Amino acid sequence: MGWIIFIIGAIGWHIGVYGLFKKAGIAAWKAFVPFYNTWCMVEITGIKKLWFWVQFIPILGQFVTIWITIIFVMHFGQFTLLQHAALVFLPFIYLPYIGFSKDVRWGGKDVMKHYKKSAAREWVDAAVFAVVAATLIRTFIFEAYTIPTESMEKTLLINDFLFVSKWSYGARLPVTPLSFPFVHNVMPGMPTTPSYLKWIQLPYKRLPGYTSIKRNDVVVFNVPAADTIINLPDYGSKVLYYDVLRQQFNGNRDALNATYPVLVHPFDKTDNYIKRCVGVPGDVIQNKQGILYVNNQPAYVAPGSQIDYVVETNGTIFNPQFLEDSLEMDINNGDQVQVDGSQKIYIMNLTPEKAAIVKRQPNVKSISIYSSADVTIQTFPFDTANFKWSVDNYGPLQVPKAGSTITLSPQNIALYERIITTYEHNTLEYANGSYVINGRPANNYTFKYNYYWMMGDNRHRSQDSRYWGFVPETHIVGKASLIWFSWDKGPRWSRLFKSIQ
């Protein structure tokens, strides 16, 4: 549908320019020669030649072409905001109309001499320029984000304000281009109202020439499991549709959809998460007793990362002031949990540095990383017959790499079904003892995209790949690069302009 609209728009634009060139005394055939047509507009209107060459800059050049066309039609006496809006949003109608209308004539520089912008128009033009410039920066260079949860503590804290570089991994062209400016997927103050229209959906594409994601980068991405959501404020990406579907409705979509309002997001409009990329394409991921291994080696542990520890004491309780001041713990928010009534065993959420402090306390007998073997907590790929994994004892599994091929079987299909059908847009069936992909028998599959494994630095407080699986390259937004502000009952001055490691 998007390509059809694009083609109609392009044909209409050129037909309209053909008519306008005839009126302006330019050889009409030149209207159909890409870029030469705008060169003719630049020459006849007296625009500086530099602007013609700016058109060749990706993305920015498209806006410059629109501006050159606006200047060109102004020489036909088309000055009003409504006329210029019609040119921007309906060029395939507006340009043919003025190109072949008997009432619209070439006025040239004489008509421009009599044109003077009103004060209101000056403000409107400035506002439009600001919106366009900010949209370009937000889409292709960097965007500001705020940390809403503790999943990355203490690398990132709640109410850290970040700059996320869209440039680092190649700016992703908008897949859903019709949206309200400066918001992501819901309207301001209207948490269940989409801020976008799905009339036009463009194919996934990134600008070339940038670096790939490196292992241990802190990455912002569209969370894959939030493409379908329960459209209520307390659900969304906080309580995932697919979790509710499995746990409460036993996979019965019709029953769930009849119970709750449901919204399907385009993938570039799903909620944004921020995690550490612990696994790049081809890596083997495994969690053993709460410790992460990548390619059979202990994974990088960020200095600010937190994890739950089991702390055994001699029965003497910890001083609350010590917990708050020395360990920077919020004892009212579950940072310390007493396991039983003996006041001897606690679960404490700590960084490695703080764990070392606890270990030195005279009332502490032992401290170790907490590890759960509870397989009743549902983890990806939700197939307990073949994958008896828990949050802390998980894997091994290999992260898919573009171009690599796997053999499909009933024992591993749960790992790859969503990749094949949802992320790479194929049909998948099982018939007569073999898999059928796009109508053809196929017992193996070659991946089209690269995939990544994302985990929060606060491992026991993070909803991450262990719960919903691989992140496709299509969903990557950018690299978290800088904390520009931070707030907790006042500015956290020590965190300002801190780079993210």
Side-chain angles (χ1 to χ4, degrees):
M1 181 63 180
W3 285 112
I4 293 173
I5 294 174
F6 175 79
I7 292 169
I8 292 173
I11 292 173
W13 188 92
H14 286 88
I15 290 174
V17 172
Y18 174 89
L20 292 172
F21 273 19
K22 288 183 68 176
K23 292 182 178 183
I26 304 171
W29 62 267
K30 295 179 181 179
F32 296 105
V33 182
F35 291 107
Y36 187 39
N37 45 30
T38 51
W39 175 262
C40 294
M41 294 182 194
V42 166
E43 279 198 317
I44 199 169
T45 57
I47 297 172
K48 290 184 178 180
K49 301 296 192 299
L50 170 66
W51 290 108
F52 171 80
W53 301 108
V54 174
Q55 289 181 106
F56 293 92
I57 299 175
I59 311 303
L60 175 61
Q62 297 176 26
F63 290 93
V64 172
T65 300
I66 293 171
W67 174 73
I68 290 172
T69 310
I70 288 174
I71 299 298
F72 181 58
V73 301
M74 287 173 68
H75 286 71
F76 289 86
Q78 307 293 295
F79 296 121
T80 70
L81 180 62
L82 183 61
Q83 289 167 336
H84 293 176
L87 170 58
V88 171
F89 296 108
L90 298 169
F92 51 91
I93 296 174
Y94 174 72
L95 286 175
Y97 168 72
I98 64 172
F100 295 93
S101 171
K102 295 180 180 179
D103 298 327
V104 178
R105 298 180 179 84
W106 172 256
K109 295 181 180 179
D110 289 338
V111 75
M112 293 295 289
K113 291 177 182 178
H114 300 289
Y115 170 65
K116 181 175 174 57
K117 287 185 182 180
S118 66
R121 181 62 187 279
E122 293 281 3
W123 279 102
V124 169
D125 285 354
V128 169
F129 175 80
V131 169
V132 170
T135 299
L136 287 171
I137 291 170
R138 184 176 183 268
T139 303
F140 300 106
I141 301 177
F142 67 84
E143 186 174 356
Y145 286 85
T146 307
I147 299 299
T149 71
E150 61 179 342
S151 71
M152 285 294 291
E153 290 195 353
K154 295 218 173 3
T155 302
L156 299 172
L157 305 180
I158 294 174
N159 289 333
D160 275 350
F161 295 79
L162 317 178
F163 282 139
V164 173
S165 169
K166 303 287 187 73
W167 196 261
S168 296
Y169 305 132
R172 183 179 63 185
L173 302 185
V175 175
T176 310
L178 299 180
S179 63
F180 192 83
F182 310 132
V183 297
H184 181 48
N185 56 13
V186 296
M187 295 296 289
M190 306 167 69
T192 61
T193 303
S195 62
Y196 56 85
L197 297 173
K198 291 191 281 188
W199 297 348
I200 299 177
Q201 291 285 283
L202 303 177
Y204 163 71
K205 184 70 176 176
R206 287 186 185 274
L207 296 180
Y210 303 93
T211 61
S212 58
I213 297 175
K214 295 181 176 61
R215 192 184 300 117
N216 301 318
D217 281 357
V218 178
V219 179
V220 172
F221 55 93
N222 301 116
V223 59
D227 56 355
T228 303
I229 64 167
I230 295 173
N231 196 26
L232 295 171
D234 292 333
Y235 286 84
S237 62
K238 292 180 287 187
V239 180
L240 293 171
Y241 171 93
Y242 298 106
D243 289 345
V244 176
L245 178 65
R246 283 187 297 270
Q247 297 167 15
Q248 298 180 29
F249 290 86
N250 296 316
N252 189 332
R253 283 180 179 265
D254 292 338
L256 189 158
N257 295 352
T259 304
Y260 293 107
V262 173
L263 175 65
V264 179
H265 285 307
F267 73 80
D268 65 324
K269 292 298 182 181
T270 64
D271 282 355
N272 292 317
Y273 273 15
I274 183 167
K275 307 290 180 186
R276 190 176 296 278
C277 177
V278 298
V280 298
D283 281 350
V284 176
I285 301 294
Q286 187 170 16
N287 223 23
K288 294 188 288 187
Q289 300 297 314
I291 299 174
L292 179 66
Y293 292 81
V294 179
N295 300 326
N296 295 317
Q297 299 295 320
Y300 168 75
V301 177
S305 64
Q306 291 190 161
I307 199 167
D308 285 351
Y309 289 83
V310 179
V311 180
E312 183 181 1
T313 73
N314 60 13
T316 303
I317 65 172
F318 290 100
N319 185 319
Q321 202 69 36
F322 163 76
L323 297 176
E324 292 181 0
D325 294 346
S326 297
L327 302 185
E328 300 177 1
M329 292 175 59
D330 183 352
I331 59 177
N332 297 316
N333 194 36
D335 283 354
Q336 175 187 270
V337 178
Q338 188 173 309
V339 174
D340 55 30
S342 67
Q343 297 184 334
K344 290 186 176 181
I345 300 177
Y346 299 85
I347 294 177
M348 304 175 74
N349 192 232
L350 302 165
T351 65
E353 177 189 12
K354 301 302 181 184
I357 294 174
V358 171
K359 187 176 182 178
R360 294 195 295 267
Q361 299 310 302
N363 63 327
V364 172
K365 296 175 65 176
S366 67
I367 180 171
S368 60
I369 291 176
Y370 173 80
S371 173
S372 171
D374 186 0
V375 297
T376 63
I377 299 174
Q378 294 196 16
T379 57
F380 175 80
F382 319 108
D383 176 3
T384 55
N386 295 295
F387 302 95
K388 300 183 185 300
W389 295 345
S390 68
V391 171
D392 293 315
N393 292 275
Y394 191 98
L397 84 167
Q398 187 169 43
V399 182
K401 182 177 183 179
S404 64
T405 301
I406 47 96
T407 300
L408 300 176
S409 70
Q411 288 71 43
N412 70 6
I413 191 63
L415 284 173
Y416 306 116
E417 181 176 7
R418 187 167 170 82
I419 287 178
I420 295 169
T421 59
T422 302
Y423 306 147
E424 303 197 355
H425 310 294
N426 302 287
T427 62
L428 174 66
E429 300 174 82
Y430 187 73
N432 301 320
S434 66
Y435 292 98
V436 179
I437 298 176
N438 299 328
R440 297 182 178 181
N443 284 331
N444 55 55
Y445 184 77
T446 301
F447 299 109
K448 177 181 177 181
Y449 296 125
N450 283 316
Y451 291 82
Y452 301 90
W453 195 257
M454 305 289 186
M455 294 179 70
D457 281 358
N458 196 355
R459 293 287 159 77
H460 287 106
R461 312 291 173 92
S462 173
Q463 185 185 78
D464 53 36
S465 283
R466 293 168 294 177
Y467 296 95
W468 34 254
F470 307 109
V471 176
E473 65 177 76
T474 54
H475 290 52
I476 300 300
V477 173
K479 180 180 180 181
S481 56
L482 179 73
I483 300 169
W484 62 272
F485 189 67
S486 188
W487 180 270
D488 180 26
K489 301 176 184 177
R492 299 183 182 113
W493 297 109
S494 63
R495 297 188 65 78
L496 269 60
F497 303 108
K498 181 179 179 181
S499 62
I500 298 170
Q501 303 296 329

